[in-house]
Amino acid sequence: MDLVFVHGINQQGKSSASLKTEWSGHLRAGLDAQGIGTAIDPIVPFYGDLLFKRTNGVSSARVTPQGAGQSDSIDTAEAQFLAEALEELAQTTTSYDEATIDAYMNEMAEGEVEAQGWLPMHRRINAIVRFLEGVSPWHGDIAVKVLKQAHTYLRSPGVDDQVEAIVAPALKGGPRVVVAHSLGTIVCFRILRRLALEGNPAPVPLFVTLGSPLSLRTVRKTLGPKYLVPAGVDQWINAYDPDDFVSLGQGLTASTFAPGITNIGNVVNIPGDAHAIDGYLRDPKVALAIGQEI
């Protein structure tokens, strides 16, 4: 059976070929540990460079008010999206402390752009990022990268169509096992839901989501209903590392997203990066589930 890998954020400069090699290597290690010798020859649509360019090539976790002359300036809608999502992510940490965030905000100098009226929102974004970086060095950086590219895909005119034009052909004409990571889980869900609602569901015996941010309230609000297992998907498995705060360290359940999804919530990812694709594909339960279908 055909296997499809759909990547997430921060993959610029790579290619379908390089991701095929990287992901296949991790899955091969997971399958070998289970004694499964099935060949791996995935289809790997690549949209990383497109999304990176449309997100203005931002690599810094810091943001600046619109009009400040910086390439990583953000508008009001994006600022609202970032602020709400970062707030939700921060509140999942055991050390969440509103007083610390307020203190970070008060430390920031008030520039002339305050007259625009929404600088405080930007100051809060940066304060939360500083707080998250204090919890873990990678938290603030990865959070903004995920959220900025998610906002670009979900809200910037035409970007969703461009990304989906690359990914959708890989999901059609199956049956196909679809494995998606991070932002890729949002992309695949949107495509599979749209095809199902159009009456042309893609035949997907197994849909595997890894480190998914689909349970974020801000993401759900932007996606809009319906939150369901799309027609055509026979089985949906969602895996997460409890320390992966991009997934809020929680599963996709009836209360957080939709019923009918099987969750694997004890993934132990690589040291220092609970969101990495490495540990997800090497996880015994994840590898076994994929290996039994392909």
Side-chain angles (χ1 to χ4, degrees):
M1 187 179 299
D2 288 333
L3 172 65
V4 180
F5 289 152
V6 182
H7 68 81
I9 61 101
N10 209 33
Q11 300 301 301
Q12 62 277 359
K14 297 184 180 181
S15 66
S16 292
S18 65
L19 286 175
K20 179 177 180 177
T21 299
E22 178 187 348
W23 284 39
S24 295
H26 297 316
L27 180 57
R28 178 77 273 153
L31 292 175
D32 287 347
Q34 299 298 307
I36 300 174
T38 306
I40 304 172
D41 186 22
I43 301 166
V44 187
F46 178 71
Y47 60 90
D49 289 338
L50 164 68
L51 190 59
F52 183 73
K53 290 174 183 176
R54 291 301 301 268
T55 316
N56 297 321
V58 174
S59 59
S60 170
R62 294 290 181 260
V63 295
T64 57
Q66 188 180 52
Q70 301 295 323
S71 62
D72 58 349
S73 63
I74 59 176
D75 62 20
T76 308
E78 184 175 1
Q80 184 68 37
F81 181 92
L82 284 172
E84 290 179 4
L86 284 167
E87 190 87 45
E88 186 175 359
L89 290 170
Q91 288 175 1
T92 67
T93 67
T94 57
S95 56
Y96 179 75
D97 179 14
E98 184 65 29
T100 300
I101 293 173
D102 287 343
Y104 284 146
M105 286 184 66
N106 292 333
E107 289 176 9
M108 297 177 191
E110 297 182 359
E112 59 184 12
V113 291
E114 186 175 9
Q116 294 184 40
W118 41 272
L119 177 60
M121 186 185 298
H122 290 80
R123 292 171 65 196
R124 183 161 184 83
I125 289 171
N126 284 336
I128 296 174
V129 169
R130 284 183 63 184
F131 167 78
L132 290 171
E133 288 174 339
V135 174
S136 169
W138 68 277
H139 274 187
D141 186 56
I142 193 67
V144 172
K145 285 177 179 176
V146 169
L147 296 172
K148 285 184 71 65
Q149 291 197 1
H151 181 270
T152 298
Y153 165 66
L154 289 168
R155 299 291 293 272
S156 296
V159 175
D160 56 347
D161 290 336
Q162 291 178 292
V163 170
E164 291 173 20
I166 294 171
V167 178
L171 306 187
K172 299 176 181 178
R176 288 175 177 164
V177 171
V178 178
V179 180
H181 177 236
S182 191
L183 177 62
T185 68
I186 299 176
V187 175
C188 288
F189 171 73
R190 270 182 49 122
I191 294 171
L192 293 172
R193 180 181 65 176
R194 173 173 55 81
L195 292 173
L197 294 176
E198 289 173 351
N200 188 32
V204 178
L206 177 63
F207 181 31
V208 179
T209 51
L210 308 170
S212 177
L214 280 169
S215 68
L216 271 165
R217 288 190 301 269
T218 310
V219 169
R220 296 201 312 272
K221 181 173 68 176
T222 308
L223 276 173
K226 299 178 176 179
Y227 315 122
L228 41 70
V229 177
V233 175
D234 295 337
Q235 183 182 16
W236 182 342
I237 293 177
N238 177 67
Y240 62 97
D241 182 321
D243 292 327
D244 182 355
F245 88 130
V246 172
S247 65
L248 299 179
Q250 66 183 8
L252 301 179
T253 65
S255 61
T256 64
F257 189 72
I261 301 171
T262 300
N263 287 278
I264 299 173
N266 57 351
V267 175
V268 178
N269 218 314
I270 63 173
D273 189 354
H275 189 60
I277 189 62
D278 311 37
Y280 279 122
L281 288 175
R282 292 170 180 261
D283 179 80
K285 292 182 180 178
V286 171
L288 181 62
I290 297 171
Q292 289 175 333
E293 289 289 342
I294 60 176

